[in-house]
Amino acid sequence: MGFSVGVLALQGGVAEHAEAARAAGAEPVLVRRPEELASVDALILPGGESTAMTKLLAVTELAEPLGERLKGGMPAFGSCAGLILLAEAVDPPDERTRNYGAIDITVRRNAFGRQVDSFEEDLDVPELGPDPARAVFIRAPWVVRAGPGVQTLATVASSDGAEPKIVAARQGNILVTAFHPELTADIRWHALFLSMARA
Ligand code: GLN
């Protein structure tokens, strides 16, 4: 049996993540039910809408088993709304989003502001090698606080003129991006996640 990577398939960029995981050498498994979650070695949480995903996690009875798996050390990769679910907290607080605390970061939702709902940028990501990584941001969050155990992987200059904002990070076997690597042909983020997950 190969290494099976689940893709939380409630909402958002599910097919694109499954495709990228396959291209990076994993067997993607779509996760919609607790039995499917129990069967996977690692999990990708796609982008979408964190409030809607929070509701769907409850309806599908995945919310608590997901918390248990994350507490048990399951490797996870969250993009955009997935990052919000894996974070410790959102600021300002919002009860409509569940935050599992798998990575010690606090994040601001829709942080780039309404004028720039979506944009693309080439990011410098030393962890991925010398070539820049194209990043697609869609109503993206950014990280407002990162704990001491968190490694910053990429930042962008902020629209508020303050210090650069963290938009990709890892802690242990948890990887998060505020943008959508699955919407580009670049599979290096998925490859990085697989190497973290297998380690
Ligand atoms: N703004 C969305 C949220 O708060 C995230 C957007 C995305 O995943 N592209 O959940």
Side-chain angles (χ1 to χ4, degrees):
M1 245 308 264
F3 190 83
S4 84
V5 173
V7 180
L8 186 63
L10 304 178
Q11 205 226 5
V14 174
E16 293 87 347
H17 267 297
E19 197 46 53
R22 189 185 301 284
E27 282 173 44
V29 174
L30 300 190
V31 171
R32 297 193 180 89
R33 301 183 306 149
E35 307 84 88
E36 291 154 352
L37 178 63
S39 77
V40 299
D41 299 307
L43 186 69
I44 296 173
L45 295 84
E49 179 58 43
S50 54
T51 54
M53 277 163 68
T54 297
K55 279 187 198 151
L56 290 168
L57 281 167
V59 169
T60 55
E61 298 186 349
L62 280 167
E64 299 319 314
L66 175 55
E68 290 304 316
R69 286 296 313 265
L70 290 169
K71 225 180 276 166
M74 175 180 66
F77 172 18
S79 64
C80 204
L83 168 152
I84 293 167
L85 294 174
L86 292 174
E88 188 72 38
V90 290
D91 176 22
D94 187 338
E95 280 174 4
R96 297 168 307 159
T97 73
R98 175 98 187 223
N99 310 114
Y100 282 99
I103 180 167
D104 186 16
I105 58 174
T106 302
V107 303
R108 178 154 304 144
R109 297 177 59 218
N110 306 320
F112 290 90
R114 279 178 187 269
Q115 306 89 314
V116 280
D117 257 0
S118 58
F119 62 99
E120 294 188 25
E121 195 163 313
D122 284 325
L123 302 180
D124 181 28
V125 189
E127 187 87 3
L128 297 185
D131 293 336
R134 190 79 179 156
V136 180
F137 292 83
I138 305 168
R139 305 192 67 219
W142 69 42
V143 175
V144 294
R145 182 199 61 85
V150 175
Q151 181 190 356
T152 296
L153 299 179
T155 60
V156 297
S158 72
S159 45
D160 65 10
E163 74 284 0
K165 304 301 181 192
I166 299 170
V167 291
R170 71 178 277 187
Q171 181 174 24
N173 57 17
I174 304 293
L175 175 66
V176 292
T177 63
F179 47 88
H180 293 267
E182 77 283 8
L183 297 182
T184 71
D186 189 348
I187 61 163
R188 288 178 296 166
W189 292 102
H190 291 79
L192 170 63
F193 175 56
L194 288 178
S195 73
M196 288 164 54
R198 286 182 163 125

